[in-house]
Amino acid sequence: MEYTHGPNQPVLVLSEEQSWQLLSHTSHGRVATAVAGEIDIVPVNYGVHNKKLFLRTAPGNKLASMAINAKVAFEADGILADEAWSVVVHGTAELLESEADIQEARESGVSPWIPTQKDFWVRIHVDSISGRHFELGEQPEVAE
Amino acid sequence: MEYTHGPNQPVLVLSEEQSWQLLSHTSHGRVATAVAGEIDIVPVNYGVHNKKLFLRTAPGNKLASMAINAKVAFEADGILADEAWSVVVHGTAELLESEADIQEARESGVSPWIPTQKDFWVRIHVDSISGRHFELGEQPEVAE
């Protein structure tokens, strides 16, 4: 993807399409949850299918506590020497149980970080998606 | 650092010391906040000093809304071909205003992602830190 920053414009707001494209080419992100006032954040592998996010995780993972129709925030990013991007999603997480749902999840191509047999599936319905592209650089000196 | 996984132990729980060491050698993470029931997550650059985390960010960043003594969760990770690590911190964020506080923040060595002059500083007091090291691998086939 090409990113055209204007002069003095180190942060570029991406379109939804650009944001989805970045998410589709990455497989690692983090999910933030706030259950009973306890805020938490967990690293996840994810897949994208039909503009939904799919996670597959081991039992006992904290994702279990948030997967009951809970509001979540999700972030994925990529950092190179002189540029970076970050995409943030707000949505609702749902624990998948039916075979049809799990089949859809499999089509996202998500694979878990660690080998385990009894994992479970989570689908995140996306309410909003936003992306930023950053030109990295030095902090300018403040004029005295 | 050496990580010694046992057989069938793809996830290794790290000590606090190991977790701090990983945080000290990284500079990019994410902060999750839940203000007025709205959960959010933002990418940040950070520094570590005296077992506290320091962020430096531009005005208008969502961090401003969370920095008023808010509980936050923070995550940093690293991913290689066959291993990964993730460290999660729970703590309280504080907007820094005094010159002494900002001097301490500077000693953390944090630099912001993007060049701007009027940035502000946030300190995260750490309540808990936990780390995991993952041996990545294929999902085992389920025996029929």
Side-chain angles (χ1 to χ4, degrees):
Chain A
M1 227 178 320
E2 289 280 327
Y3 301 100
T4 308
H5 291 252
N8 300 315
Q9 190 200 21
V11 184
L12 197 66
V13 176
L14 304 179
S15 68
E16 290 198 11
E17 187 185 336
Q18 288 174 310
S19 300
W20 277 113
Q21 198 174 335
L22 285 165
L23 283 193
S24 300
H25 289 86
T26 312
S27 62
H28 178 66
R30 302 95 200 153
V31 174
T33 62
V35 175
E38 285 291 312
I39 190 159
D40 214 339
I41 181 169
V42 288
V44 294
N45 264 19
Y46 71 94
V48 174
H49 187 60
N50 289 339
K51 295 207 167 178
K52 292 184 271 269
L53 304 182
F54 294 89
L55 320 175
R56 186 179 177 182
T57 186
N61 189 299
K62 289 170 185 169
L63 285 174
S65 67
M66 69 83 176
I68 310 157
N69 294 318
K71 291 286 177 190
V72 298
F74 169 94
E75 193 258 6
D77 54 44
I79 306 172
L80 300 170
D82 57 356
E83 61 171 325
W85 62 266
S86 169
V87 172
V88 171
V89 160
H90 292 89
T92 306
E94 175 193 15
L95 188 61
L96 301 186
E97 294 176 295
S98 80
E99 197 46 54
D101 280 345
I102 291 173
Q103 185 54 39
E104 186 190 12
R106 285 184 198 280
E107 287 169 17
S108 76
V110 62
S111 62
W113 259 14
I114 56 166
T116 170
Q117 289 186 0
K118 296 180 184 172
D119 46 9
F120 65 87
W121 300 81
V122 173
R123 175 168 54 198
I124 297 178
H125 299 269
V126 175
D127 297 325
S128 69
I129 181 170
S130 61
R132 300 278 185 284
H133 184 265
F134 304 85
E135 268 183 350
L136 306 183
E138 290 298 309
Q139 177 88 350
E141 289 299 319
V142 176
E144 295 295 331
Chain B
M1 227 179 320
E2 289 280 327
Y3 302 101
T4 308
H5 291 252
N8 300 314
Q9 189 200 19
V11 184
L12 198 65
V13 176
L14 303 180
S15 68
E16 289 197 12
E17 188 185 334
Q18 289 175 309
S19 300
W20 277 113
Q21 198 173 336
L22 285 165
L23 282 194
S24 299
H25 289 86
T26 312
S27 62
H28 178 65
R30 301 96 200 153
V31 174
T33 63
V35 175
E38 285 291 311
I39 189 159
D40 214 339
I41 182 170
V42 290
V44 294
N45 264 19
Y46 71 94
V48 174
H49 187 61
N50 290 337
K51 296 208 168 178
K52 292 183 270 266
L53 304 183
F54 294 90
L55 320 175
R56 185 178 178 182
T57 187
N61 189 298
K62 289 169 185 168
L63 284 175
S65 67
M66 68 83 176
I68 310 158
N69 294 319
K71 291 285 178 191
V72 299
F74 169 93
E75 193 258 7
D77 54 41
I79 306 171
L80 300 170
D82 57 356
E83 61 171 324
W85 62 267
S86 169
V87 171
V88 171
V89 160
H90 292 88
T92 305
E94 175 194 14
L95 188 62
L96 301 186
E97 293 175 295
S98 81
E99 196 46 54
D101 280 345
I102 290 173
Q103 185 54 38
E104 186 190 13
R106 286 184 198 281
E107 286 169 18
S108 76
V110 61
S111 61
W113 260 14
I114 55 166
T116 169
Q117 290 187 359
K118 297 180 183 171
D119 46 8
F120 64 88
W121 300 80
V122 174
R123 174 166 56 197
I124 298 178
H125 298 270
V126 175
D127 297 326
S128 69
I129 181 169
S130 61
R132 300 278 185 281
H133 184 263
F134 304 86
E135 266 184 351
L136 305 182
E138 290 297 309
Q139 176 88 351
E141 290 298 320
V142 177
E144 296 292 332

